[in-house]
Coordinates of all heavy atoms in Angstrom, one line a residue:
M1 N -31.2 8.1 17.3 CA -30.0 7.4 16.9 C -28.8 8.3 17.0 O -28.8 9.4 16.4 CB -30.1 6.9 15.4 CG -28.9 6.2 14.9 SD -29.3 5.2 13.4 CE -28.5 6.2 12.2
N2 N -27.8 8.0 17.8 CA -26.6 8.8 17.9 C -25.6 8.3 16.9 O -25.2 7.1 16.8 CB -26.0 8.7 19.3 CG -26.7 9.5 20.3 OD1 -27.4 10.4 19.9 ND2 -26.6 9.1 21.5
T3 N -25.1 9.2 16.0 CA -24.1 8.9 15.0 C -22.9 9.8 15.2 O -23.1 11.0 15.2 CB -24.7 9.1 13.6 OG1 -25.8 8.3 13.5 CG2 -23.6 8.6 12.6
V4 N -21.8 9.2 15.4 CA -20.5 10.0 15.6 C -19.8 10.0 14.3 O -19.5 8.9 13.7 CB -19.6 9.4 16.7 CG1 -18.3 10.1 16.8 CG2 -20.4 9.3 18.0
V5 N -19.6 11.2 13.8 CA -18.8 11.3 12.5 C -17.4 11.7 12.9 O -17.2 12.7 13.6 CB -19.5 12.4 11.6 CG1 -18.7 12.5 10.3 CG2 -20.9 12.0 11.3
G6 N -16.5 11.0 12.4 CA -15.1 11.3 12.6 C -14.3 11.3 11.4 O -14.8 10.9 10.3
L7 N -13.0 11.7 11.5 CA -12.1 11.6 10.3 C -11.7 10.2 10.1 O -11.5 9.4 11.0 CB -10.9 12.5 10.6 CG -11.3 14.0 10.9 CD1 -10.0 14.8 11.2 CD2 -12.0 14.6 9.7
V8 N -11.4 10.0 8.8 CA -10.9 8.6 8.4 C -9.4 8.7 8.2 O -8.9 9.6 7.6 CB -11.6 8.2 7.1 CG1 -11.0 6.9 6.6 CG2 -13.1 8.1 7.2
S9 N -8.7 7.8 8.8 CA -7.2 7.7 8.6 C -6.9 6.7 7.6 O -7.7 5.8 7.2 CB -6.5 7.4 9.9 OG -6.8 6.0 10.2
F10 N -5.7 6.8 7.1 CA -5.2 5.8 6.1 C -5.3 4.4 6.7 O -5.7 3.4 6.0 CB -3.8 6.1 5.6 CG -3.3 5.1 4.6 CD1 -3.7 5.2 3.3 CD2 -2.4 4.1 4.9 CE1 -3.3 4.3 2.3 CE2 -2.0 3.2 4.0 CZ -2.4 3.3 2.7
E11 N -4.9 4.2 7.9 CA -5.0 2.9 8.6 C -6.4 2.4 8.7 O -6.6 1.1 8.7 CB -4.3 3.0 10.0 CG -2.8 3.2 9.9 CD -2.4 4.6 9.5 OE1 -3.2 5.6 9.6 OE2 -1.2 4.7 9.1
D12 N -7.4 3.2 8.7 CA -8.8 2.8 8.7 C -9.2 2.1 7.4 O -10.1 1.2 7.5 CB -9.7 4.0 9.0 CG -9.6 4.6 10.4 OD1 -9.2 3.9 11.3 OD2 -10.0 5.8 10.5
V13 N -8.6 2.5 6.3 CA -9.0 2.0 5.0 C -8.0 1.1 4.3 O -8.3 0.5 3.3 CB -9.5 3.1 4.1 CG1 -10.7 3.8 4.7 CG2 -8.4 4.1 3.9
S14 N -6.8 1.0 4.9 CA -5.8 0.2 4.2 C -6.0 -1.3 4.5 O -6.6 -1.7 5.5 CB -4.4 0.6 4.6 OG -4.2 0.4 6.0
V15 N -5.4 -2.1 3.7 CA -5.5 -3.6 3.8 C -4.1 -4.1 4.0 O -3.2 -3.8 3.3 CB -6.1 -4.2 2.5 CG1 -6.2 -5.7 2.6 CG2 -7.5 -3.6 2.3
D16 N -3.9 -4.9 5.0 CA -2.6 -5.5 5.3 C -2.6 -7.0 4.9 O -3.6 -7.7 4.9 CB -2.4 -5.5 6.8 CG -2.3 -4.1 7.4 OD1 -1.6 -3.2 6.7 OD2 -2.8 -3.8 8.5
F17 N -1.4 -7.4 4.4 CA -1.2 -8.8 4.0 C -0.1 -9.4 4.8 O 0.9 -8.7 5.1 CB -0.9 -8.9 2.5 CG -2.0 -8.6 1.6 CD1 -2.2 -7.3 1.0 CD2 -2.9 -9.6 1.3 CE1 -3.3 -7.1 0.2 CE2 -4.0 -9.4 0.4 CZ -4.1 -8.1 -0.1
T18 N -0.1 -10.7 5.0 CA 1.1 -11.4 5.5 C 1.8 -11.8 4.2 O 1.3 -11.7 3.1 CB 0.7 -12.7 6.3 OG1 0.0 -13.6 5.4 CG2 -0.1 -12.4 7.5
W19 N 3.1 -12.2 4.4 CA 3.9 -12.6 3.3 C 3.2 -13.7 2.5 O 3.1 -13.8 1.3 CB 5.3 -13.0 3.8 CG 6.2 -13.4 2.6 CD1 6.9 -12.5 1.8 CD2 6.5 -14.7 2.1 NE1 7.6 -13.2 0.9 CE2 7.4 -14.6 1.1 CE3 6.1 -16.0 2.5 CZ2 7.9 -15.7 0.4 CZ3 6.6 -17.0 1.8 CH2 7.4 -16.9 0.8
E20 N 2.6 -14.7 3.3 CA 2.0 -15.8 2.7 C 0.8 -15.4 1.9 O 0.5 -15.9 0.8 CB 1.6 -16.9 3.7 CG 2.7 -17.6 4.4 CD 3.4 -16.8 5.5 OE1 2.8 -15.8 6.0 OE2 4.5 -17.2 5.9
E21 N 0.0 -14.5 2.4 CA -1.2 -14.0 1.7 C -0.8 -13.3 0.4 O -1.4 -13.4 -0.6 CB -2.0 -13.0 2.6 CG -2.7 -13.7 3.7 CD -3.2 -12.7 4.7 OE1 -2.7 -11.6 4.9 OE2 -4.2 -13.1 5.4
W22 N 0.3 -12.5 0.5 CA 0.8 -11.8 -0.7 C 1.2 -12.7 -1.8 O 1.0 -12.5 -3.0 CB 1.9 -10.9 -0.3 CG 2.5 -10.0 -1.4 CD1 3.6 -10.1 -2.1 CD2 1.8 -8.8 -1.9 NE1 3.7 -9.1 -3.0 CE2 2.7 -8.3 -2.9 CE3 0.6 -8.2 -1.6 CZ2 2.4 -7.2 -3.6 CZ3 0.3 -7.0 -2.4 CH2 1.2 -6.5 -3.3
Q23 N 1.8 -13.9 -1.4 CA 2.2 -14.9 -2.4 C 1.0 -15.5 -3.2 O 1.2 -16.0 -4.3 CB 3.0 -16.0 -1.7 CG 4.3 -15.5 -1.1 CD 5.1 -14.5 -1.9 OE1 5.5 -14.9 -3.0 NE2 5.4 -13.4 -1.4
D24 N -0.2 -15.4 -2.6 CA -1.4 -16.0 -3.2 C -2.0 -15.1 -4.3 O -2.8 -15.5 -5.0 CB -2.4 -16.3 -2.1 CG -2.0 -17.5 -1.3 OD1 -1.2 -18.4 -1.7 OD2 -2.5 -17.6 -0.1
L25 N -1.5 -13.8 -4.3 CA -2.1 -12.9 -5.3 C -1.3 -13.0 -6.6 O -0.1 -13.3 -6.6 CB -1.9 -11.5 -4.8 CG -2.6 -11.1 -3.5 CD1 -2.4 -9.7 -3.1 CD2 -4.1 -11.4 -3.6
N26 N -2.0 -12.9 -7.7 CA -1.3 -12.9 -9.0 C -0.8 -11.4 -9.3 O -1.1 -10.5 -8.5 CB -2.2 -13.4 -10.1 CG -3.5 -12.6 -10.4 OD1 -3.4 -11.3 -10.3 ND2 -4.6 -13.2 -10.6
D27 N -0.1 -11.3 -10.3 CA 0.5 -10.0 -10.7 C -0.5 -8.9 -10.8 O -0.3 -7.7 -10.4 CB 1.4 -10.1 -11.9 CG 2.6 -10.8 -11.7 OD1 3.0 -11.0 -10.5 OD2 3.3 -11.2 -12.7
A28 N -1.7 -9.2 -11.5 CA -2.7 -8.2 -11.7 C -3.3 -7.7 -10.3 O -3.6 -6.5 -10.1 CB -3.8 -8.7 -12.6
Q29 N -3.5 -8.7 -9.4 CA -4.0 -8.3 -8.1 C -3.1 -7.5 -7.3 O -3.5 -6.6 -6.6 CB -4.4 -9.6 -7.3 CG -5.6 -10.4 -7.9 CD -5.7 -11.8 -7.3 OE1 -4.7 -12.5 -7.1 NE2 -7.0 -12.2 -7.1
R30 N -1.8 -7.8 -7.4 CA -0.8 -7.0 -6.7 C -0.7 -5.6 -7.2 O -0.6 -4.7 -6.4 CB 0.6 -7.7 -6.8 CG 0.7 -9.0 -6.1 CD 2.1 -9.6 -6.3 NE 2.2 -10.9 -5.6 CZ 3.3 -11.6 -5.6 NH1 4.4 -11.2 -6.2 NH2 3.3 -12.8 -5.0
K31 N -0.8 -5.5 -8.5 CA -0.7 -4.1 -9.1 C -2.0 -3.3 -8.7 O -1.9 -2.2 -8.4 CB -0.6 -4.2 -10.6 CG -0.5 -2.8 -11.3 CD -0.2 -2.9 -12.7 CE -0.1 -1.5 -13.4 NZ -0.5 -0.4 -12.7
L32 N -3.1 -4.0 -8.7 CA -4.4 -3.3 -8.3 C -4.3 -2.9 -6.9 O -4.6 -1.7 -6.6 CB -5.6 -4.3 -8.5 CG -6.9 -3.7 -8.1 CD1 -7.3 -2.5 -8.9 CD2 -8.0 -4.8 -8.2
Y33 N -3.8 -3.7 -6.0 CA -3.6 -3.4 -4.6 C -2.7 -2.1 -4.5 O -3.1 -1.2 -3.8 CB -3.0 -4.5 -3.8 CG -2.6 -4.2 -2.4 CD1 -3.5 -4.1 -1.4 CD2 -1.2 -3.9 -2.2 CE1 -3.1 -3.8 -0.1 CE2 -0.8 -3.5 -0.9 CZ -1.8 -3.5 0.1 OH -1.4 -3.1 1.4
R34 N -1.6 -2.1 -5.1 CA -0.6 -1.0 -5.1 C -1.3 0.3 -5.6 O -1.2 1.3 -4.9 CB 0.6 -1.3 -5.9 CG 1.5 -2.3 -5.3 CD 2.7 -2.7 -6.2 NE 3.5 -3.7 -5.7 CZ 4.6 -3.4 -4.9 NH1 4.9 -2.2 -4.6 NH2 5.3 -4.4 -4.4
D35 N -2.0 0.2 -6.7 CA -2.6 1.3 -7.3 C -3.7 1.9 -6.3 O -3.8 3.1 -6.1 CB -3.3 1.0 -8.6 CG -2.3 0.7 -9.7 OD1 -1.1 1.0 -9.6 OD2 -2.7 0.1 -10.8
V36 N -4.5 1.0 -5.8 CA -5.6 1.5 -4.9 C -5.0 2.1 -3.6 O -5.5 3.1 -3.1 CB -6.5 0.3 -4.5 CG1 -7.5 0.7 -3.4 CG2 -7.3 -0.1 -5.8
M37 N -4.0 1.5 -3.0 CA -3.4 2.0 -1.8 C -2.7 3.4 -2.0 O -2.9 4.3 -1.2 CB -2.4 1.0 -1.2 CG -3.0 -0.2 -0.6 SD -4.1 0.1 0.8 CE -5.7 -0.1 0.0
L38 N -2.0 3.5 -3.1 CA -1.3 4.8 -3.4 C -2.4 5.8 -3.8 O -2.2 7.0 -3.3 CB -0.4 4.6 -4.6 CG 0.9 3.7 -4.2 CD1 1.6 3.4 -5.5 CD2 1.8 4.4 -3.2
E39 N -3.4 5.5 -4.5 CA -4.5 6.4 -4.8 C -5.2 6.9 -3.5 O -5.6 8.0 -3.4 CB -5.4 5.9 -5.8 CG -6.5 6.8 -6.2 CD -6.0 8.0 -7.0 OE1 -5.0 8.0 -7.6 OE2 -6.7 9.1 -6.9
T40 N -5.5 5.9 -2.7 CA -6.2 6.2 -1.4 C -5.4 7.2 -0.6 O -5.9 8.2 0.0 CB -6.5 4.9 -0.6 OG1 -7.3 4.1 -1.4 CG2 -7.1 5.2 0.7
Y41 N -4.1 6.9 -0.5 CA -3.2 7.8 0.3 C -3.2 9.2 -0.3 O -3.3 10.2 0.4 CB -1.8 7.2 0.4 CG -0.8 8.2 1.0 CD1 -0.9 8.5 2.3 CD2 0.2 8.8 0.2 CE1 0.0 9.4 2.9 CE2 1.1 9.7 0.8 CZ 1.0 10.0 2.1 OH 1.8 10.9 2.7
S42 N -3.1 9.2 -1.7 CA -3.1 10.5 -2.4 C -4.3 11.3 -2.1 O -4.3 12.5 -1.9 CB -2.9 10.3 -3.9 OG -2.9 11.5 -4.6
S43 N -5.5 10.6 -2.1 CA -6.8 11.3 -1.8 C -6.8 11.8 -0.4 O -7.2 13.0 -0.2 CB -7.9 10.3 -2.1 OG -8.0 9.9 -3.4
L44 N -6.4 11.0 0.6 CA -6.4 11.5 1.9 C -5.4 12.6 2.2 O -5.7 13.6 2.9 CB -6.1 10.3 2.9 CG -7.2 9.3 3.0 CD1 -6.7 8.1 3.8 CD2 -8.5 9.9 3.6
L45 N -4.3 12.6 1.5 CA -3.3 13.6 1.6 C -3.9 14.9 1.0 O -3.7 16.0 1.6 CB -2.0 13.2 0.8 CG -0.8 14.1 1.0 CD1 -0.4 14.1 2.5 CD2 0.3 13.6 0.1
S46 N -4.6 14.9 -0.1 CA -5.2 16.1 -0.7 C -6.2 16.7 0.2 O -6.5 17.9 0.1 CB -5.7 15.8 -2.1 OG -6.9 15.0 -2.0
L47 N -6.8 15.9 1.1 CA -7.8 16.3 2.0 C -7.2 16.7 3.4 O -7.9 17.0 4.3 CB -8.9 15.3 2.3 CG -9.8 14.9 1.0 CD1 -10.6 13.7 1.3 CD2 -10.6 16.1 0.6
N48 N -5.9 16.7 3.4 CA -5.1 17.0 4.6 C -5.5 16.1 5.8 O -5.6 16.5 6.9 CB -5.4 18.5 5.0 CG -4.2 19.2 5.5 OD1 -3.1 18.6 5.4 ND2 -4.3 20.3 6.1
Q49 N -5.7 14.8 5.4 CA -6.0 13.8 6.4 C -4.8 12.9 6.9 O -5.0 12.0 7.7 CB -7.1 12.8 5.8 CG -8.4 13.5 5.6 CD -9.1 13.9 6.8 OE1 -9.1 15.0 7.2 NE2 -9.8 12.9 7.4
C50 N -3.6 13.2 6.4 CA -2.5 12.4 6.8 C -1.4 13.3 7.4 O -1.0 14.2 6.8 CB -1.9 11.7 5.6 SG -3.0 10.4 4.9
D51 N -1.0 13.0 8.6 CA 0.1 13.7 9.3 C 1.4 13.3 8.8 O 2.2 14.1 8.4 CB 0.0 13.6 10.8 CG -1.3 14.2 11.4 OD1 -1.7 15.2 10.8 OD2 -1.8 13.8 12.4
A52 N 1.7 12.0 8.8 CA 2.9 11.4 8.4 C 2.7 10.4 7.4 O 1.6 9.7 7.4 CB 3.7 10.8 9.6
K53 N 3.7 10.1 6.5 CA 3.5 9.1 5.5 C 3.5 7.7 6.1 O 4.4 7.4 6.9 CB 4.6 9.2 4.5 CG 4.4 8.3 3.2 CD 5.5 8.5 2.2 CE 5.2 9.8 1.4 NZ 6.1 9.8 0.2
P54 N 2.4 7.0 5.9 CA 2.4 5.6 6.5 C 3.5 4.7 6.0 O 4.0 4.8 4.9 CB 1.0 5.1 6.0 CG 0.2 6.3 5.6 CD 1.2 7.3 5.1
E55 N 3.9 3.8 6.9 CA 4.9 2.8 6.6 C 4.6 2.0 5.3 O 5.5 1.8 4.5 CB 5.2 1.9 7.7 CG 6.3 0.9 7.5 CD 6.5 0.0 8.7 OE1 6.1 0.3 9.8 OE2 7.2 -1.1 8.4
L56 N 3.3 1.7 5.1 CA 2.9 0.9 4.0 C 3.2 1.7 2.7 O 3.7 1.1 1.7 CB 1.4 0.6 4.0 CG 0.8 0.0 2.8 CD1 1.5 -1.3 2.5 CD2 -0.7 -0.2 3.0
I57 N 3.0 3.0 2.7 CA 3.2 3.8 1.5 C 4.7 3.9 1.2 O 5.2 3.8 0.1 CB 2.6 5.2 1.6 CG1 1.1 5.1 1.7 CG2 3.0 6.1 0.5 CD1 0.4 4.4 0.5
L58 N 5.5 4.0 2.3 CA 7.0 4.0 2.1 C 7.4 2.7 1.5 O 8.3 2.8 0.6 CB 7.6 4.2 3.5 CG 7.4 5.6 4.1 CD1 8.0 5.6 5.6 CD2 8.1 6.7 3.3
K59 N 6.9 1.6 2.0 CA 7.3 0.3 1.4 C 6.9 0.2 -0.1 O 7.7 -0.2 -0.9 CB 6.6 -0.8 2.1 CG 7.1 -1.1 3.5 CD 6.3 -2.2 4.2 CE 6.9 -2.6 5.5 NZ 6.1 -3.7 6.1
L60 N 5.7 0.7 -0.4 CA 5.2 0.6 -1.8 C 6.1 1.5 -2.7 O 6.4 1.1 -3.8 CB 3.7 1.0 -1.9 CG 2.8 0.0 -1.3 CD1 1.4 0.5 -1.4 CD2 2.9 -1.4 -1.9
E61 N 6.4 2.7 -2.2 CA 7.2 3.6 -3.0 C 8.6 3.1 -3.3 O 9.3 3.4 -4.3 CB 7.3 5.0 -2.3 CG 6.1 5.7 -2.3 CD 6.1 7.0 -1.6 OE1 7.0 7.2 -0.7 OE2 5.2 7.9 -1.8
Q62 N 9.1 2.2 -2.3 CA 10.5 1.7 -2.5 C 10.4 0.3 -3.2 O 11.5 -0.3 -3.5 CB 11.1 1.4 -1.1 CG 11.3 2.7 -0.3 CD 11.7 2.4 1.2 OE1 11.7 1.3 1.6 NE2 11.8 3.5 1.9
G63 N 9.3 -0.1 -3.6 CA 9.2 -1.3 -4.4 C 9.2 -2.6 -3.5 O 9.3 -3.7 -4.0
S64 N 9.0 -2.4 -2.2 CA 9.0 -3.5 -1.3 C 7.6 -4.1 -1.2 O 6.6 -3.4 -1.6 CB 9.4 -3.0 0.1 OG 10.7 -2.6 0.1
G65 N 7.5 -5.2 -0.6 CA 6.2 -5.8 -0.4 C 5.5 -5.2 0.8 O 6.1 -4.7 1.7
P66 N 4.2 -5.2 0.8 CA 3.4 -4.6 1.9 C 3.1 -5.5 3.1 O 2.4 -5.1 4.0 CB 2.1 -4.3 1.1 CG 1.9 -5.4 0.2 CD 3.3 -5.7 -0.3
W67 N 3.7 -6.7 3.1 CA 3.3 -7.6 4.2 C 3.7 -7.1 5.5 O 4.6 -6.2 5.7 CB 3.9 -9.0 4.0 CG 5.3 -9.0 3.5 CD1 6.4 -8.9 4.3 CD2 5.8 -9.0 2.2 NE1 7.5 -8.9 3.5 CE2 7.2 -9.0 2.2 CE3 5.1 -9.2 0.9 CZ2 7.9 -9.0 1.1 CZ3 5.9 -9.2 -0.2 CH2 7.3 -9.2 -0.1
T68 N 3.1 -7.6 6.6 CA 3.3 -7.2 7.9 C 4.2 -8.0 8.7 O 4.6 -7.7 9.9 CB 1.9 -7.1 8.7 OG1 1.3 -8.4 8.6 CG2 1.0 -6.1 8.0
E69 N 4.7 -9.1 8.2 CA 5.6 -10.0 8.9 C 6.9 -10.1 8.2 O 7.0 -9.8 7.0 CB 5.0 -11.5 8.9 CG 3.7 -11.6 9.6 CD 3.1 -13.0 9.5 OE1 3.7 -13.8 8.8 OE2 2.1 -13.2 10.1
D70 N 8.0 -10.5 8.9 CA 9.3 -10.7 8.2 C 9.1 -11.9 7.3 O 8.5 -12.8 7.6 CB 10.4 -11.0 9.2 CG 10.7 -9.7 10.0 OD1 10.5 -8.6 9.5 OD2 11.3 -9.9 11.1
A71 N 9.8 -11.8 6.1 CA 9.7 -12.9 5.2 C 11.1 -13.2 4.7 O 12.0 -12.3 4.7 CB 8.8 -12.5 4.0
P72 N 11.3 -14.4 4.1 CA 12.6 -14.8 3.7 C 13.2 -13.8 2.6 O 14.3 -13.5 2.6 CB 12.4 -16.2 3.1 CG 11.0 -16.5 3.3 CD 10.3 -15.4 4.0
N73 N 12.3 -13.4 1.7 CA 12.8 -12.5 0.6 C 11.8 -11.4 0.4 O 10.7 -11.6 0.0 CB 12.9 -13.3 -0.7 CG 13.3 -12.5 -1.9 OD1 13.7 -11.3 -1.7 ND2 13.3 -13.1 -3.1
Q74 N 12.2 -10.2 0.7 CA 11.3 -9.1 0.7 C 11.4 -8.3 -0.6 O 10.8 -7.2 -0.6 CB 11.6 -8.2 1.9 CG 11.3 -8.9 3.2 CD 10.7 -8.0 4.3 OE1 10.6 -6.8 4.1 NE2 10.2 -8.6 5.3
S75 N 12.1 -8.7 -1.6 CA 12.1 -8.0 -2.8 C 11.0 -8.6 -3.7 O 10.7 -9.8 -3.7 CB 13.5 -8.1 -3.5 OG 13.8 -9.4 -3.8
L76 N 10.5 -7.8 -4.6 CA 9.5 -8.2 -5.5 C 10.0 -7.9 -6.9 O 9.8 -6.8 -7.4 CB 8.1 -7.5 -5.3 CG 7.4 -7.9 -4.0 CD1 6.2 -7.0 -3.8 CD2 7.1 -9.3 -4.0
P77 N 10.6 -8.9 -7.6 CA 11.1 -8.6 -8.9 C 9.9 -8.2 -9.9 O 8.8 -8.7 -9.7 CB 11.7 -9.9 -9.4 CG 11.3 -10.9 -8.3 CD 10.7 -10.2 -7.1
G78 N 10.2 -7.3 -10.7 CA 9.2 -6.9 -11.7 C 8.4 -5.7 -11.3 O 7.6 -5.2 -12.1
Y79 N 8.6 -5.2 -10.1 CA 7.8 -4.0 -9.6 C 8.8 -2.9 -9.2 O 9.7 -3.1 -8.4 CB 6.9 -4.4 -8.5 CG 5.7 -5.2 -8.8 CD1 5.8 -6.6 -8.7 CD2 4.6 -4.7 -9.4 CE1 4.7 -7.4 -9.0 CE2 3.5 -5.5 -9.8 CZ 3.6 -6.8 -9.6 OH 2.6 -7.6 -9.9
F80 N 8.5 -1.7 -9.7 CA 9.3 -0.6 -9.2 C 8.3 0.6 -9.2 O 7.6 0.9 -10.2 CB 10.4 -0.3 -10.2 CG 11.2 1.0 -9.8 CD1 12.1 1.0 -8.8 CD2 11.0 2.1 -10.6 CE1 12.7 2.1 -8.4 CE2 11.7 3.3 -10.2 CZ 12.6 3.3 -9.2
Y81 N 8.3 1.3 -8.1 CA 7.4 2.5 -7.9 C 8.2 3.7 -8.3 O 9.3 4.0 -7.8 CB 6.9 2.6 -6.5 CG 6.1 3.9 -6.3 CD1 4.8 4.0 -6.8 CD2 6.6 5.0 -5.6 CE1 4.1 5.1 -6.7 CE2 5.8 6.1 -5.4 CZ 4.6 6.2 -6.0 OH 3.8 7.3 -5.8
S82 N 7.7 4.5 -9.2 CA 8.3 5.8 -9.6 C 7.6 6.9 -8.9 O 6.5 7.4 -9.3 CB 8.2 6.0 -11.1 OG 8.7 7.2 -11.5
P83 N 8.2 7.5 -7.8 CA 7.6 8.6 -7.1 C 7.4 9.8 -7.9 O 6.5 10.6 -7.7 CB 8.5 8.9 -5.9 CG 9.6 7.9 -6.0 CD 9.5 7.1 -7.2
K84 N 8.2 10.0 -9.0 CA 8.2 11.2 -9.8 C 6.8 11.3 -10.5 O 6.2 12.4 -10.6 CB 9.3 11.1 -10.9 CG 9.3 12.4 -11.8 CD 10.4 12.3 -12.7 CE 10.4 13.5 -13.7 NZ 11.4 13.4 -14.7
D85 N 6.3 10.2 -11.0 CA 5.0 10.2 -11.7 C 4.0 9.3 -11.1 O 3.0 9.0 -11.7 CB 5.2 10.0 -13.2 CG 5.8 8.6 -13.5 OD1 6.0 7.8 -12.6 OD2 6.2 8.4 -14.7
S86 N 4.2 8.8 -9.9 CA 3.3 8.0 -9.1 C 2.8 6.7 -9.9 O 1.6 6.4 -9.9 CB 2.1 8.8 -8.7 OG 2.5 9.9 -7.9
R87 N 3.7 6.0 -10.6 CA 3.3 4.8 -11.3 C 4.1 3.6 -10.8 O 5.2 3.8 -10.4 CB 3.6 5.0 -12.8 CG 2.7 6.0 -13.5 CD 3.0 6.0 -15.0 NE 4.4 6.2 -15.2 CZ 5.0 5.7 -16.3 NH1 4.3 5.0 -17.2 NH2 6.3 6.0 -16.5
I88 N 3.5 2.5 -10.9 CA 4.2 1.2 -10.7 C 4.7 0.8 -12.0 O 4.0 0.6 -13.0 CB 3.3 0.1 -10.1 CG1 2.7 0.6 -8.8 CG2 4.0 -1.2 -9.9 CD1 3.6 0.7 -7.6
L89 N 6.0 0.6 -12.1 CA 6.6 0.2 -13.4 C 7.0 -1.3 -13.4 O 7.3 -1.8 -12.4 CB 7.9 1.0 -13.7 CG 7.7 2.5 -13.6 CD1 9.0 3.2 -13.7 CD2 6.7 3.0 -14.7

């Protein structure tokens, strides 16, 4: 059995949502998603596995939605990412 072991990128393990899919999540699911994506990025960064900050992380840090398509309203009231202490407020 030939097994190729390679490095894992953030894109390999991240989950993408369309705007419509994001609307189907409740607040707890959205917060869990944000927490998991930010923690995953932090873990890969600590292992020196990320060259540049992924667009998804930039969006989450700015409090924007993570969807992959243009949407009518891209702001998410009630969510703010604090880069200083890595929390969603």
